[in-house]
């Protein structure tokens, strides 16, 4: 009987995080396919001597960690910057995004390495990035 009470208390204490767990995204979203179908492209004038700056949004990629969507800014045909429009609220994602963007700017393509520990986000990032690159042409 002396062991039963501590075992019961510790079991309940161990189950509290499970009860409080909330997924980081809504997997039953019916709007995701509609958003994923249409990457947006917005050309705008650049201040650097006539080359056009184009901003293209990649498709929305629904991963098991949450939605991923990138926005790519092109200076002519060169990738000038990449911004995450949507990303999972996850510590590994937060650490991986700067690495993914840095590699994209160096490679100037979606052919980049997956960040260890953030494979799901990396794959979603690369898919959305490729959609933006394809939309740019």
């Amino acid at each position: 009987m002396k062991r039963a009470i501590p075992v019961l208390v510790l079991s309940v204490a161990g189950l509290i995080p499970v009860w409080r767990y909330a997924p980081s995204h809504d997997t039953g979203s019916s709007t995701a396919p509609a958003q994923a179908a249409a990457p947006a492209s917005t050309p705008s004038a650049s201040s650097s001597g006539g080359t056009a700056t184009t901003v293209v949004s990649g498709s929305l990629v629904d991963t098991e960690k949450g939605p991923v969507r990138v926005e790519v800014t092109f200076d002519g045909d060169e990738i000038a910057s990449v911004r995450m429009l949507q990303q999972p609220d996850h510590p590994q994602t937060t650490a991986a995004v700067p690495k993914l963007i840095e590699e994209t700017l160096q490679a100037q393509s979606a052919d980049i390495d997956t960040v260890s520990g953030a494979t799901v986000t990396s794959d979603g990032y690369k898919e959305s990035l490729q959609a933006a690159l394809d939309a740019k042409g």
Side-chain angles (χ1 to χ4, degrees), residues 15-105:
L15 289 174
I16 289 174
V18 175
W19 288 327
R20 295 186 47 111
Y21 176 76
S24 62
H25 71 286
D26 178 19
T27 59
S29 175
S30 62
T31 61
Q35 292 175 344
S41 176
T42 309
S44 60
S46 174
S47 60
S48 62
T51 59
T53 299
T54 306
V55 178
V56 181
S57 295
S59 60
L60 180 69
V61 179
D62 193 23
T63 70
E64 61 189 62
K65 299 288 185 184
V68 175
R69 187 175 207 171
V70 301
E71 177 183 82
V72 183
T73 302
F74 294 93
D75 188 11
D77 288 333
E78 183 177 313
I79 298 173
S81 68
V82 180
R83 185 170 69 108
M84 292 291 278
L85 295 177
Q86 287 183 282
Q87 70 185 48
D89 184 23
H90 210 266
Q92 287 91 347
T93 298
T94 305
V97 168
K99 294 175 186 175
L100 291 167
I101 292 172
E102 181 181 340
E103 282 198 36
T104 302
L105 295 175

